[in-house]
Amino acid sequence: MDETPFDDDDELHEECGVFGIFKRTDAAAVVTLGLHALQHRGQEAAGIVSYDGSQFHVERHAGLIGDTFTKQAVLERLPGTSAIGHTRYATTGGGGLRNVQPFFAELSAGGFAVAHNGNITNALTIQRELQRRGSIFSSTSDTETILHLVATSAARHFVEKLIDALSRLEGAFSLVGLSSKKMVGVRDPLGIRPLVLGDLEGSPILASETCALDIIGADFVRDIEPGELVVISEDGIESIFPFQARRPRFCIFEYVYFARPDSTVEGRNVYEIRKKIGGELARESHVEADIVVPVPDSGVPAAIGYAQEAGLPFELGIIRNHYVGRTFIQPTDSIRHMGVKLKHNANRRMIEGKRVILVDDSIVRGTTSQKIVQMVREAGATEVHMRIASPPTRASCFYGVDTPEKAKLLASRMTIEEMADFIKVDSLSFLSIDGLYRATDEPSRNKLTPQFCDACFTGDYPTSLTDQDGTENVRPLSLLGGAG
Ligand code: AMP
């Protein structure tokens, strides 16, 4: 499969994972394993760039890592001891693989490849400016902008050029880059997306999440700090803080849904936080019921926490077929409806005659919940109470999580009562924003300087959104595709 069958426009859906290793035999094979562990961050396409001491090699394919990069012939085309890779949500329709990362270019300073997780909110403005000055773009991705900024920087040395380029960016960027002599990792000053430093028997690794270290038995060294640039070379690891320091605003949705539960992000184990979220939810929205049932898989840890706190049995009342991608993966509404049926089935024996508390992580369009609730009712539940392990998703993400435009978010156009009617539940409750913060061990949300980016729940965007038109109905990636 060279192109995704559902794409009908040039809009990108982002959600990405990055991984890189420096100075290690079979670097591309190690990156393949790392990307496989990051597959949940993007399932549509992936790429790897390796450097063999004299040349760079680039492979980019649509599909799952396990279906493409595990082929011997592909790995043989990626020789070398340093490599970086990227897994992304979607390729674009018209351009096929042209937006798949890493991006690579031969610059005056030498070859440079870059893989990006996040979204640059002023990329279109920069792109237009560069185009006026003669730059030619081969993709619609915001990440290519970074290569052009590095290429056109007047600074002398590679790292200075990179800093120069990055200083122009607004938005979220966790980047891994590779030159002939260096591997670099950087997080935007707010640290919106994760990035960790690992070590495999002396070979430094950069990865989106710690689960990508575990798969190869690498050690976790530390998180890359918000605003930090690490330069990895034969001389060791240099740490630079080139940006003006800001109070970090890590994405709280990584804890709710996006990161893998076995990852430790910013010092917090994701699974533990999800369980605590479930506990908070049970305290905030008690209801008489017989069993707690998660919407698998994303609702499972919160449902365990809920059941423990409520003292109710936790039951797998819905079984998931794992051979279908996430419901979100099919980007047309009609297919998304089918996706739920393909993916979930009610476990009638557990549900029949019971008052069921259904726990899911979030409601976005409401399509999943509507179908699941209908299925649980058809399986004989006497009452269905939906409990959502996050506040209502009211605003689009512009920082690298795929969310539909605001108008399609159920919570942006309905009250909670209307949503309960729409998904046909006996009761519906969401976790409060302070409850969510408490689950991360913060006493509450600091209104003046919030501890996280929670824009999807509050509409409080921590950076300027230069490329958006400023109205409430802006599309997450209105004009220029994001990187993921
Ligand atoms: P829906 O309300 O039908 O749009 O789907 C909501 C479900 O999709 C949630 O329960 C999550 O499990 C999942 N979900 C939430 N946000 C995302 C996202 N950005 N990408 C993929 N899946 C998501």
Side-chain angles (χ1 to χ4, degrees), residues 327 330-339 365 367 404 408:
T327 31
Q330 296 100 14
T332 65
D333 279 340
S334 60
I335 300 290
R336 200 173 284 112
H337 275 276
M338 270 174 61
R365 293 175 173 85
T367 322
K408 286 194 176 163

Side-chain angles (χ1 to χ4, degrees), residues 299-315:
V300 172
I304 294 173
Y306 191 111
Q308 283 177 359
E309 177 65 29
L312 288 172
F314 166 93
E315 299 291 1

